[in-house]
Amino acid sequence: MASGLETLVVQTLNGLQFGFVLFLVASGLTVILGILDVLNLAHGELFAFGAYASVGIFGYVTGAIAAPVSGGIGTTIVFVIGILAAIVVTGLVLIPVGVVLESVFLRPIYERDQVYQLVLTFALLLIIIDVTKFVWGDVPIRTNSVYSGINQIPTSELLGITFPTYNVFAIVLGAVVVVGLFYFFARTKTGRIVRATAINREMATAIGVSTDRVFTLVFALGAFLAGIAGAVRVPPTAATLEMGTNPLVLSFVVIVIGGLGSLRGAFVGAVVVGVLRSWMISFYPPGEIAAPFAIMAVILLVKPEGLFGTWGETA
Amino acid sequence: MSPGLVDRDGETHVRVTSGLVLSKRRFAGLIAGVLFLFAVPDLVRVAQALDISFFQLGVIHRGLVFGFAAVGLNLLLRHTELVSFGHAAFFGTGAYTAAVAAVYLDVTGLLVLLLLATALGTVMAGVIGALSLRHTGLYFALLTLAFGQLLYAIALGQSALGGSDGMPVRPGEANEPLLFGQALGDAYGVVTYYITAVVVLVGLLVMWRIINSPFRYALDAIGQDRTRAEFIGLPVRRYVWTAFVISGVYGGVAGGLFAVFRRYVTPDGTLYFLQSGDILYMAILGGFKTLLGPLVGGVVLIVLEFVGRSVTPYFEFLTGTVLLILVFGFPEGIVGSLGEGGVFRRAVGQTRHGVASLREDPSVAGDWGRRIGRGLRQQIDESLTTLRVVLFGVS
């Protein structure tokens, strides 16, 4: 069953690609939850906002750089670098958004009842949806040139299977971000300070860490990752107003599977959810929606604290 | 003990039933509220004559049923301090149960449909509660939202349930559920409204009983400190689960009422997580520290949304902004702010006091101005420092 095997491989890779996007959203959400103790319901809308913003940035880049013609290695490299730059710029655009949201809206309510921060992030969700609608309109917008441009580069054909090069690109990019994120939290001083704050807020303050700064930094980092995720997600699909909900809810599933605030757990959870969802699409379509939730329910019954427990001690 | 007038602390109070003793003012308010509730269909006709577009039976009914679900949510929120973000799950379960029973099981009786909706809502609350209550705090909120979205996705994906188009609730030849075997014809909307009003009143009375029972104090204790509650021998898990199921029952009933009134259910209108958010919003808007707050909040929010929708396509921005103002300015909600010790009472008291002292000595106005100026300068200084800390890391 060569074709069956090929389907399996292709679907696994597709799932991996979606899993990486999901990880980018879920990691921001889980780190914000672990450190700020805030469930950011507006996180999915930051993802959607990034997707919309990226369309314009992609448009600018593809307008300035010609799509690679097959065979031309120089133009190919320039094009890929251009697209990478566009994705990073989208993330950077989201940073000030995150800083403003955290310092203006969230900071005054850390001390209050949890219900207020939930309705606050819900209010931000409603507002961001309408701001997006106001700026980009009610119709889905696409950017086809990026997807088709990158797909002209032959990669998977070399192995004898048909698989869009863009997805390979997205997987590689996702893997790089994952490694970078783990490096940041495990090796850099700032990352260690963030983790120290997660483990014990009072102690961190006592040794001179400004928790205000850490909180803003973490929220901005979450927004940055969500922006990148939005930009990566747009080319094969489209930017729509509803696109924020699904990653948000699946991120919840990922957090439950991986464990509250655990980065490693978020990674494992995201890959599991992404791949499983993708398998279901080709082998048992009705199970696509239910499968992630089924795993979530099992994890809740068997290991309620999630696969990797609490984050902080290790990255 | 029979109803009548009683004397308490030197003031005349009205006893409605045993235990329910109200001051004269509150009793008058209660009577006015009940009268208003039952007068809505007549007032709607007046409003139509006066061309007031938002005062429609459908709008008020929608506000009432969603507010009723919020009353249920409030039991959990107010006493156990658990924030459920998935109450639309029970609302939607109730609504879809009514629709499925009517379409596939040929149930024609309106009251039977309501009973089935209540029963299925209860079962759903039992299952989701058993799974979600393994956690508390934000984790619990996250789980309820996830389970709610699961139900939404199921309703959206099943062609038997009509997918994203939803499905009608139309048994019988008259295209509507029957009451005691009778088709209601033109009176259908008004009669279902009256049924809703009765159910809402009974539900409020039951909730009032619950929050004046020892059970409520047990929940309060659990909400304040779980470990201590366990130490004094309270069966914490069972009690919280029971509270969750009770609050789910209110959602199921509300969903059933919604379905039979509308005669059509859609996943977006009943199960979507924005509806869960709205239900929570209503509780906060009306005042979640009060019994009636969520119901008032429900009607106010739905009317606000209706008016907002007709004014601007960006009504969600509008409701979001109102919510922000609420969180920062009026955390006690409408009913909480109007009540004793609320923001309004205090503001009125302060204004009265201010006017009196101004009359005595007009020079206090200068003092006030100086005080406001000083406060403002302090605020600006503080925000500049914050900005500096955020940007450069030095204070």
Side-chain angles (χ1 to χ4, degrees), chain A residues 62-149:
Chain A
T62 49
I65 305 167
V69 280
S70 39
I73 292 180
T75 52
T76 308
I77 292 174
V78 171
F79 187 73
V80 169
I81 289 175
I83 296 302
L84 276 177
I87 290 174
V88 173
V89 168
T90 309
L92 294 179
V93 167
L94 265 288
I95 286 183
V97 176
V99 169
V100 168
L101 291 185
E102 197 277 335
S103 54
V104 176
F105 295 108
L106 284 172
R107 186 164 303 162
I109 56 151
Y110 288 133
E111 304 295 318
R112 308 222 337 237
D113 273 355
Q114 262 172 357
V115 62
Y116 290 113
Q117 47 122 320
L118 271 171
V119 292
L120 180 87
T121 53
F122 181 65
L124 293 177
L125 176 146
L126 295 176
I127 290 173
I128 297 177
I129 287 182
D130 266 5
V131 168
T132 315
K133 191 159 118 186
F134 179 74
V135 177
W136 286 286
D138 211 353
V139 284
I141 54 174
R142 300 166 193 282
T143 161
N144 289 324
S145 52
V146 173
Y147 191 58
S148 59

Side-chain angles (χ1 to χ4, degrees), chain A residues 271-288:
Chain A
V271 170
V272 166
V273 168
V275 171
L276 194 79
R277 186 172 164 273
S278 181
W279 283 349
M280 285 292 172
I281 289 174
S282 65
F283 299 115
Y284 182 63
E288 181 208 334

Side-chain angles (χ1 to χ4, degrees), chain B residues 61 82 86 354:
Chain B
H61 183 271
L82 287 168

Side-chain angles (χ1 to χ4, degrees), chain B residues 340-384:
Chain B
E340 269 147 62
V343 176
F344 288 111
R345 285 283 168 89
R346 256 182 289 148
V348 168
Q350 270 171 4
T351 322
R352 250 186 226 158
H353 180 74
V355 170
S357 56
L358 195 65
R359 218 175 268 158
E360 255 171 46
D361 178 12
S363 69
V364 291
D367 280 348
W368 293 343
R370 271 193 291 281
R371 210 182 306 153
I372 290 170
R374 217 178 306 139
L376 217 61
R377 217 173 318 137
Q378 218 165 355
Q379 284 276 321
I380 292 171
D381 273 356
E382 265 172 32
S383 21
L384 281 179

